[in-house]
Amino acid sequence: MPAKVDMDKIVSLCKRRGLIFPSSEIYGGLASCWDYGPMGVELKRNVRDAWWKSIVHERDDVVGLDTSIMMHPGVWAASGHIDSFTDPLVECKSCHLRWRADAIEGKGCPKCGGELTEPRMFNLMFKTSMGPVEEEASTIYLRPETAQGIFVNFDNVITTSRKKLPLGIAQIGKSFRNEITTGNFIFRTREFEHMELEYFVKPGTDEEWLDYWVKERFDWYVKLGVRKENLRLRQHGKDELAHYARDCYDIEYLFPMGWSELEGIANRGDFDLIQHAKCSGKELSYYDNEAGEKYVPYVIEPSAGVDRSVLAFLIDAYDEEEIEGEKRTVLHLHRSLAPIKVAVLPLSRNEKLTPLAKEVFNKLCPNFVTDYDDSQSIGRRYRRQDEIGTPFCVTIDFESLEDKQVTIRERDSLAQIRVPVEELDKILAAKLRGEAFDASPLWATREK
Ligand code: GAP
């Protein structure tokens, strides 16, 4: 059963509210490329930060890394990407459109029904050349995964981090794949951002660690508000495992087009370290002081996409509700992901309200990502904040000038509470930390 929202609604909300725009739009756009607008850039950043916090900062067995997109071409020969990072491609003999052979049903071209060529293997890596002379020696590739930057730095990290195994190395960064079939908005694009962890373990303990990371990663999405019933796990069949994988699980999400991969968690064994040691001539192993033995570690790899996670969070948060006869569209985003945490909204643009409203804004913005909006009716401004998922709006009215109190309006319950301006910081900080909802009777009032 597909998710309740169709993709067009998400695409339209993203455009309308400054989350995601088609790339190069004034030139007619560029297939499968998207730009993150002012709200989208905050959301994407929050997704990255949430991942980094849970994978690196909240643990003592993982360190971070940031490696270059362009790497020595030998890396891709060793990793198997030059030979094996391919998809079978067929071409229509009439309209010349190209398709992934494994993604089409029936025998003819899905567009015009024309006859298709025999499949041929197509490498998904983008090639470019480095240096001013275009010769074979300067051909390089844009990385299709960030993982290889981690493997080739394994020894650098081990010798400088003073850490023991099991040890993880994490990286977030852009990857590029010349995908044959793109589409479904930001689900599959040719340029995207990876969040990858390579977790190095002692051989023999790898299966346990694979189970551990599958659970950790599944729970991460749930903790950030994705409904469990929209997530499931799927083990890869032997015939679909990547060339480097011994075992692999996908965390799948119920996207509008059906269940599809959100993240993959693979057991890469010692494939990569062995290959790089062989091809570079540098030993890549680990001396285990406690066991008194040397071995090549196995690697467990949770590999997620920032953009695909953003899409799943948006879809899961999207809701259309009826409030007292009026429709409202709202993103019930987890507070840590919401692009704006607090919106300061003076009841009107009346010049008497502006000084206090500005004072409140200036007080809040060093601590929270805060928006200030005094145009249009208060109702419309609430709707705008609901559509971008702002958890709290603070309204300043004429009474505020007398009693120095303002109203906090909560996005999901629509409850309203009046609080003193001096307490505002503290109350919002507690609410944004997710501390128990204050059961004060004041919160029982609903928006009129
Ligand atoms: N290093 C392993 C690896 O890259 P993958 O299953 O090819 O594994 C991992 O990719 C994740 O990266 C996917 O689950 C998805 O979230 C994201 N991803 C992969 N290709 C993508 C694309 N073309 N567009 C957007 N996200 C993509």
Side-chain angles (χ1 to χ4, degrees):
M1 198 182 58
K4 61 184 170 14
V5 51
D6 60 61
M7 197 72 96
D8 291 347
K9 286 197 172 169
I10 299 291
V11 177
S12 147
L13 172 75
C14 285
K15 174 88 203 296
R16 190 166 75 243
R17 294 301 184 195
L19 285 145
I20 302 168
F21 309 125
S23 164
S24 323
E25 196 179 7
I26 60 169
Y27 287 94
L30 179 66
S32 103
C33 294
W34 301 91
D35 295 341
Y36 286 79
M39 294 303 115
V41 75
E42 297 292 340
L43 172 58
K44 196 176 182 193
R45 201 187 170 111
N46 293 339
V47 170
R48 278 193 222 110
D49 287 352
W51 187 87
W52 197 260
K53 184 165 177 275
S54 100
I55 297 285
V56 184
H57 289 168
E58 290 180 350
R59 311 180 58 101
D60 69 353
D61 58 350
V62 178
V63 294
L65 196 67
D66 185 5
T67 69
S68 64
I69 286 172
M70 296 181 284
M71 301 178 74
H72 190 289
V75 169
W76 307 111
S79 68
H81 282 84
I82 289 179
D83 288 337
S84 309
F85 195 56
T86 50
D87 271 346
L89 177 144
V90 288
E91 187 175 322
C92 172
K93 289 182 181 169
S94 318
C95 71
H96 299 289
L97 276 178
R98 291 173 174 185
W99 307 91
R100 257 177 68 164
D102 54 355
I104 50 173
E105 285 163 15
K107 288 208 163 121
C109 167
K111 176 102 190 288
C112 72
E115 193 189 337
L116 298 170
T117 59
E118 283 301 305
R120 66 186 173 87
M121 295 316 268
F122 173 77
N123 195 293
L124 300 183
M125 283 197 293
F126 277 100
K127 252 189 213 170
T128 185
S129 42
M130 186 176 247
V133 185
E134 269 198 50
E135 57 188 23
E136 191 57 29
S138 64
T139 296
I140 59 158
Y141 301 90
L142 300 186
R143 67 180 177 201
E145 61 172 14
T146 65
Q148 297 305 323
I150 297 178
F151 295 128
V152 301
N153 276 289
F154 172 73
D155 202 48
N156 282 334
V157 175
I158 280 287
T159 52
T160 56
S161 66
R162 300 165 53 80
K163 300 267 189 192
K164 293 194 190 111
L165 253 54
L167 175 68
I169 307 178
Q171 166 153 240
I172 299 179
K174 289 265 184 172
S175 291
F176 303 83
R177 296 180 183 182
N178 199 2
E179 301 278 5
I180 302 165
T181 319
T182 56
N184 288 316
F185 195 27
I186 52 170
F187 177 82
R188 182 173 287 113
T189 50
R190 296 196 172 101
E191 171 183 343
F192 63 97
E193 220 167 319
H194 252 139
M195 305 185 280
E196 299 201 291
L197 168 67
E198 307 304 320
Y199 195 76
F200 298 89
V201 304
K202 185 174 179 176
T205 64
D206 47 308
E207 286 177 17
E208 253 167 72
W209 282 113
L210 180 63
D211 290 349
Y212 168 87
W213 278 109
V214 168
K215 183 173 181 321
E216 276 291 295
R217 295 301 305 142
F218 190 97
D219 290 348
W220 183 78
Y221 293 101
V222 175
K223 218 170 93 190
L224 288 173
V226 178
R227 279 161 288 183
K228 253 192 182 155
E229 64 267 27
N230 290 339
L231 291 166
R232 72 178 190 190
L233 290 170
R234 190 180 69 80
Q235 186 175 22
H236 281 208
K238 291 269 173 273
D239 54 336
E240 61 174 321
L241 286 174
H243 63 274
Y244 50 72
R246 302 166 70 92
D247 197 1
C248 185
Y249 289 86
D250 282 349
I251 298 175
E252 294 189 333
Y253 179 73
L254 187 55
F255 287 97
M257 64 281 187
W259 287 104
S260 311
E261 176 186 344
L262 176 58
E263 166 164 354
I265 301 122
N267 180 351
R268 292 180 80 126
D270 54 9
F271 177 86
D272 301 273
L273 291 182
I274 296 260
Q275 278 299 106
H276 287 304
K278 204 159 75 189
C279 299
S280 69
K282 300 275 185 302
E283 191 181 341
L284 295 173
S285 58
Y286 173 75
Y287 183 74
D288 187 332
N289 268 318
E290 271 156 37
E293 54 175 325
K294 192 159 84 171
Y295 52 80
V296 178
Y298 274 23
V299 178
I300 305 303
E301 178 196 61
S303 173
V306 181
D307 315 78
R308 208 174 277 186
S309 303
V310 164
L311 184 59
F313 288 127
L314 282 172
I315 291 168
D316 220 76
Y318 185 94
D319 203 6
E320 288 172 8
E321 300 172 348
E322 196 162 305
I323 307 288
E324 289 166 12
E326 265 190 55
K327 192 187 115 183
R328 83 157 178 164
T329 300
V330 56
L331 287 183
H332 295 289
L333 284 171
H334 188 274
R335 55 190 181 277
S336 64
L337 300 180
I340 303 284
K341 309 298 180 203
V342 190
V344 175
L345 311 175
L347 196 62
S348 72
R349 219 177 235 174
N350 187 298
E351 62 186 21
K352 288 199 181 118
L353 293 177
T354 308
L356 181 61
K358 288 276 178 194
E359 184 191 318
V360 169
F361 173 77
N362 289 333
K363 207 170 154 185
L364 298 181
C365 69
N367 300 323
F368 317 104
V369 181
T370 309
D371 191 16
Y372 183 91
D373 189 1
D374 63 2
S375 60
Q376 299 184 316
S377 74
I378 190 74
R380 287 182 84 142
R381 281 180 279 154
Y382 281 151
R383 296 293 166 262
R384 175 176 177 273
Q385 297 300 335
D386 287 343
E387 287 201 3
I388 56 171
T390 306
F392 300 106
C393 290
V394 173
T395 316
I396 292 101
D397 55 25
F398 289 98
E399 249 180 274
S400 310
L401 303 176
E402 308 295 321
D403 62 7
K404 291 279 180 291
Q405 294 206 0
V406 292
T407 304
I408 302 177
R409 173 214 188 242
E410 208 250 355
R411 177 196 68 200
D412 295 338
S413 65
L414 291 175
Q416 303 202 7
I417 179 177
R418 253 183 112 70
V419 301
V421 172
E422 311 94 83
E423 300 293 317
L424 194 54
D425 248 31
K426 253 194 296 174
I427 294 170
L428 286 171
K431 294 201 172 299
L432 285 164
R433 280 196 303 270
E435 284 174 13
F437 195 70
D438 184 350
S440 155
L442 287 168
W443 278 91
T445 7
R446 299 247 311 175
E447 183 193 14
K448 294 269 158 20

